[in-house]
Amino acid sequence: MFMQWRRMIAMLAAVMLISTMYSAVSAAETTAAEQLPEWASAELTYWQAAGLLKGNEKGELQPGRNVTRAEMAAMLDRIFKFNARSQEHFSDVSADAWYADDISKASAAGILKGTGNGQFQPLSTVTRQEAATMAARAFGITLEGTADHLFADDSQVSAWAKDAVYALKAAGYVQGSADGSFHPLKALTRAEAVKMLHNLMGGLIQDASSHSDVNGRNLVVNTAGGALQQAKLSGSLYLTSALGDGNFAISQSAIAGTVYVHGGGVNSITITDSTIGHLIIHRAEGPVRVVIEGASTIDSIVVASSGVQLELGTGSSVSKWTLETDSVLVNGKAKTRDTIGKEETQPGKENESGAGNGNGSSSSGGGWVYTPEKPKATQLYTHEQVKSQFSDTGAEGLVKQYLVFLNDPTYKPATASPGAKMPDLVNAKTFVNYEYTVKPSIFPSMRDINSSVLNEKRTTLWLGTNDGVTKVDLTSNTLTSYTAADKHLADNRVLLLIDDGAKGVFVITETGVSHIYQ
């Protein structure tokens, strides 16, 4: 597929427009003589206004200058506001250097490592593979299984960087160039670094206010005392260590990915009436209390640090436990890997506790109701919301591009032979464009099926018709329908299904777009 954003840079997707940024910041003025690249000007301007990017003495952002290891450390620290500092001393990092504290904190967080012989080389240029490695560590993105569809220059990707590079690729954050290459040894410019980290960060909350109706992929919170209400995130939420002993509240929200709890003390992280994919609790600096109440549903909880106290209210449900520490307090009772969840399981309900390897399934706790796994929340978007909130690459980029085609009057249906009778297919009626490539429908000529897609593991088949969407679970032969009547779709006439590369599909209909997770 050959599209404009793939010519811009070799990496990075999921571009959140500035309308998805949630901190109250104003646009900063750059030096009039400085020209910012159009493809990154919005991000560069936002970063400067938000205090994430510093200019030189003239106020210039220097987007085309290569970014250094010290600058990369500073950018990451400004996003996450790390608390801990490393005990390791690098001989080439002076204690009074402007970047010394940033490097110390990024090193303590395990994001940046020395180059050997006790050195860090703070002023060395960052390569694309180094940047990918740092970003994957910072945002907790790992490769599941083995990498598929290797880059054309895979042999140039260092062994230590492969997992990170392909983890970002699998998650839709990394795209190859037009010839399918990654260019791992090419230097990264400041504009490219900002674009990359902006994509991964998504939204940023750095105030103690309440934020409502937040939509997007990822979101970072680096200030305690705030709240998130009725949010819909297709990716992950990062509650950074900068929350310290402060509190943060999540309510009536749907977060498909992972909520990372790295901060918050005994006064607590509160989750109310929310649906969450995974909850990982790992606060290294001290104890943390997490309260889960109301009709909250969590696929899995991973307790990865000591001093964790969980309060689980009646009506909430969890499908799997994983303990990577000796014990956890659940409603005031100490639970170990062997006892977590067993005591609370209702009669007749099977349940296993998860050990450190992540195996096992769910439980209830202290009156906590056991329920079977529920379908994840479906997110609905208008066409205008897609244009302003979706990224320009990956599956979201394909959705946006399709809507561009649909709304462009210059695109006309085309056929190889004008005299040939075309089948009654949605794709044939809308447009033909050889540069636009999505996973093809596996039933291209079946009249009643407008679009269909099989997931990569070949376990789920999605069918789109004029009457909605049907999910076929090929492992159990069960069917699940999604329609406008049950509020899963804006309308029932499906134009196109696009695999999201994870656990679901984007459904494009005549009046809206739906993201169905499973």
Side-chain angles (χ1 to χ4, degrees):
M1 181 174 62
F2 181 73
M3 291 186 179
Q4 183 179 3
W5 69 83
R6 297 190 64 183
R7 297 195 297 266
M8 292 177 180
I9 54 174
M11 11 183 33
L12 316 161
V15 179
M16 291 293 181
L17 298 180
I18 294 310
S19 60
T20 64
M21 289 300 162
Y22 315 116
S23 294
V25 294
S26 60
E29 294 292 335
T30 58
T31 303
E34 185 179 33
Q35 295 296 317
L36 301 180
E38 182 181 354
W39 54 267
S41 61
E43 291 83 357
L44 287 163
T45 301
Y46 175 84
W47 272 54
Q48 185 181 37
L52 302 176
L53 184 67
K54 307 293 185 182
N56 62 12
E57 63 279 0
K58 297 179 181 179
E60 297 171 332
L61 297 182
Q62 301 176 291
R65 180 170 62 78
N66 293 339
V67 70
T68 66
R69 286 168 57 83
E71 288 173 327
M72 197 72 177
M75 290 178 184
L76 290 167
D77 184 38
R78 289 166 191 163
I79 292 173
F80 289 95
K81 293 184 179 178
F82 302 115
N83 284 334
R85 289 166 174 79
S86 175
Q87 299 300 314
E88 184 176 6
H89 173 71
F90 298 108
S91 61
D92 56 350
V93 177
S94 173
D96 58 359
W98 68 263
Y99 47 75
D101 198 47
D102 296 315
I103 289 175
S104 180
K105 291 193 287 184
S107 176
I111 294 171
L112 283 78
K113 301 182 183 299
T115 58
N117 299 321
Q119 294 189 332
F120 186 82
Q121 296 183 6
L123 303 182
S124 295
T125 298
V126 172
T127 64
R128 292 178 182 272
Q129 65 177 5
E130 287 175 330
T133 302
M134 296 172 189
R137 290 171 183 161
F139 288 90
I141 300 172
T142 58
L143 181 64
E144 297 182 5
T146 57
D148 296 325
H149 309 296
L150 301 180
F151 287 112
D153 54 354
D154 173 74
S155 61
Q156 298 180 32
V157 181
S158 300
W160 53 263
K162 283 185 182 289
D163 282 355
V165 168
Y166 287 110
L168 292 177
K169 182 177 186 293
Y173 292 111
V174 165
Q175 297 286 333
S177 58
D179 65 354
S181 298
F182 178 65
H183 306 291
L185 303 180
K186 186 177 180 181
L188 198 72
T189 67
R190 282 166 57 87
E192 289 171 335
V194 167
K195 189 83 169 183
M196 175 185 71
L197 296 178
H198 188 88
N199 296 338
L200 287 158
M201 177 181 72
L204 176 63
I205 291 178
Q206 48 183 353
D207 59 44
S209 302
S210 178
H211 298 262
S212 300
D213 298 314
V214 173
N215 295 309
R217 188 169 187 181
N218 297 335
L219 176 65
V220 175
V221 178
N222 65 17
T223 303
L228 192 62
Q229 300 174 343
Q230 297 179 327
K232 293 182 180 180
L233 301 179
S234 61
S236 296
L237 171 64
Y238 300 85
L239 305 180
T240 76
S241 62
L243 271 63
D245 292 326
N247 63 296
F248 192 82
I250 304 166
S251 63
Q252 298 177 311
S253 297
I255 302 169
T258 300
V259 175
Y260 294 90
V261 178
H262 293 303
V266 295
N267 294 313
S268 313
I269 304 300
T270 305
I271 300 170
T272 307
D273 295 326
S274 297
T275 301
I276 293 173
H278 308 286
L279 176 65
I280 297 179
I281 307 170
H282 186 193
R283 189 188 179 211
E285 287 83 15
V288 60
R289 179 171 176 258
V290 179
V291 178
I292 303 169
E293 56 190 8
S296 294
T297 301
I298 301 176
D299 284 356
S300 71
I301 293 180
V302 177
V303 179
S305 61
S306 59
V308 174
Q309 180 181 350
L310 283 166
E311 299 291 337
L312 306 173
T314 301
S316 298
S317 65
V318 170
S319 297
K320 185 168 71 173
W321 289 91
T322 299
L323 262 64
E324 296 180 354
T325 186
D326 292 335
S327 65
V328 59
L329 278 179
V330 180
N331 290 347
K333 295 183 179 181
K335 300 291 182 179
T336 67
R337 297 177 186 178
D338 294 329
T339 63
I340 184 72
K342 289 185 176 180
E343 180 180 315
E344 297 78 19
T345 303
Q346 293 181 346
K349 300 292 187 180
E350 295 183 358
N351 183 71
E352 298 175 0
S353 63
N357 59 8
N359 295 327
S361 58
S362 74
S363 73
S364 52
W368 192 30
V369 178
Y370 174 95
T371 58
E373 185 177 356
K374 300 177 181 178
K376 290 183 179 176
T378 300
Q379 295 186 32
L380 285 172
Y381 304 88
T382 64
H383 288 181
E384 290 303 316
Q385 286 175 324
V386 168
K387 293 176 184 177
S388 65
Q389 298 173 14
F390 275 31
S391 66
D392 289 338
T393 50
E396 291 185 353
L398 294 174
V399 174
K400 287 182 71 173
Q401 186 61 61
Y402 187 86
L403 294 185
V404 170
F405 289 141
L406 291 181
N407 292 284
D408 188 342
T410 65
Y411 278 92
K412 303 295 183 183
T415 62
S417 173
K421 179 176 175 56
M422 292 296 294
D424 185 15
L425 298 176
V426 171
N427 287 358
K429 286 182 175 180
T430 53
F431 68 90
V432 175
N433 184 284
Y434 76 95
E435 293 179 344
Y436 182 78
T437 303
V438 296
K439 187 177 293 186
S441 173
I442 65 173
F443 300 115
S445 60
M446 187 172 290
R447 183 174 298 273
D448 292 333
I449 297 178
N450 299 336
S451 180
S452 61
V453 66
L454 183 66
N455 71 340
E456 188 172 351
K457 295 183 179 179
R458 306 178 70 86
T459 57
T460 305
L461 172 65
W462 300 87
L463 304 173
T465 70
N466 286 344
D467 299 314
V469 173
T470 299
K471 182 189 76 171
V472 183
D473 187 334
L474 300 179
T475 62
S476 62
N477 293 325
T478 57
L479 305 179
T480 305
S481 63
Y482 301 85
T483 65
D486 56 24
K487 299 183 179 180
H488 285 294
L489 304 175
D491 65 90
N492 286 335
R493 186 165 187 264
V494 178
L495 301 179
L496 186 64
L497 297 172
I498 295 179
D499 185 10
D500 68 1
K503 294 184 178 181
V505 293
F506 288 102
V507 183
I508 305 174
T509 68
E510 289 189 325
T511 60
V513 173
S514 176
H515 192 182
I516 302 175
Y517 289 102
Q518 63 179 23

